[in-house]
Amino acid sequence: MVDLLNRERLMSIGVNRPDGWPQVTTVGYLNDGLNLYFVSGRDSQKLANVQADDRVSVSIHCDTELGGAVGVSMAARANEVTDAGEVERLNQLMFKRWPAVSVYCPATSSVVLIHVKPELICAIAASGGRSRTECFSLGNSAERGEQRSAKTGRKARLS
């Protein structure tokens, strides 16, 4: 899963709007392991939705050389990164991974850096018209009694 996250640069993120309708947008991201980060405008509807309800869904996929598709789907929590040291660390990670890209999160008040921390990750493989999913619970979401609607063939706790 981390290899796929390292290779890709775009994700679809679904947030909850105040009227109950989901909002899905595509954003560029940087990952640090399974943690994802993206930049949003401070006055964007996406940020307002995340601030009102930190639950998000993420989807990342790529086509394989063998004609199938693989992907990752996540149920996660999203929060603004406010620590300047963490922003600088992520900027350095971005420079290392993609030297041609300029500053990941400019130091202006018009943008925010958002951290997406997964609680449930599903690895998805599709080939020959069929798909197979393996889901993994992270952290303590299962211990808090949260119900997940995804059916899983195998569950494992990742640290």
Side-chain angles (χ1 to χ4, degrees):
M1 283 188 267
V2 172
D3 287 342
L4 180 131
L5 296 176
N6 287 341
R7 282 192 315 268
E8 299 304 316
R9 293 177 63 176
L10 296 175
M11 70 178 180
S12 297
I13 183 163
V15 297
N16 297 306
R17 294 183 348 181
D19 62 6
W21 285 91
Q23 176 191 13
V24 178
T25 56
T26 300
V27 297
Y29 74 90
L30 172 71
N31 72 297
D32 185 12
L34 296 174
N35 291 289
L36 306 175
Y37 299 87
F38 70 95
V39 174
S40 182
R42 180 153 305 277
D43 61 352
S44 71
Q45 184 63 48
K46 181 172 34 261
L47 178 61
N49 293 339
V50 165
Q51 289 172 330
D53 185 346
D54 69 347
R55 297 172 301 156
V56 300
S57 291
V58 170
S59 174
I60 300 168
H61 80 280
C62 70
D63 292 323
T64 66
E65 294 176 9
L66 300 176
V70 296
V72 175
S73 175
M74 297 181 183
R77 302 280 177 171
N79 293 287
E80 181 179 350
V81 176
T82 57
D83 180 81
E86 179 68 354
V87 172
E88 179 57 27
R89 183 186 76 77
L90 293 166
N91 276 326
Q92 294 304 316
L93 181 60
M94 179 67 116
F95 294 142
K96 181 179 177 184
R97 193 166 297 161
W98 295 297
V101 174
S102 61
V103 175
Y104 181 64
C105 185
T108 68
S109 60
S110 63
V111 296
V112 297
L113 179 61
I114 298 177
H115 172 211
V116 176
K117 182 177 181 181
E119 292 188 2
L120 179 71
I121 297 179
C122 296
I124 304 160
S127 181
R130 295 192 164 282
S131 64
R132 188 171 52 90
T133 303
E134 295 285 336
C135 293
F136 304 90
S137 175
L138 284 76
N140 298 322
S141 60
E143 293 169 7
R144 288 195 306 261
E146 294 181 15
Q147 297 294 318
R148 302 289 185 204
S149 61
K151 291 186 177 184
T152 59
R154 179 187 322 166
K155 286 192 177 186
R157 292 184 56 81
L158 302 177
S159 299

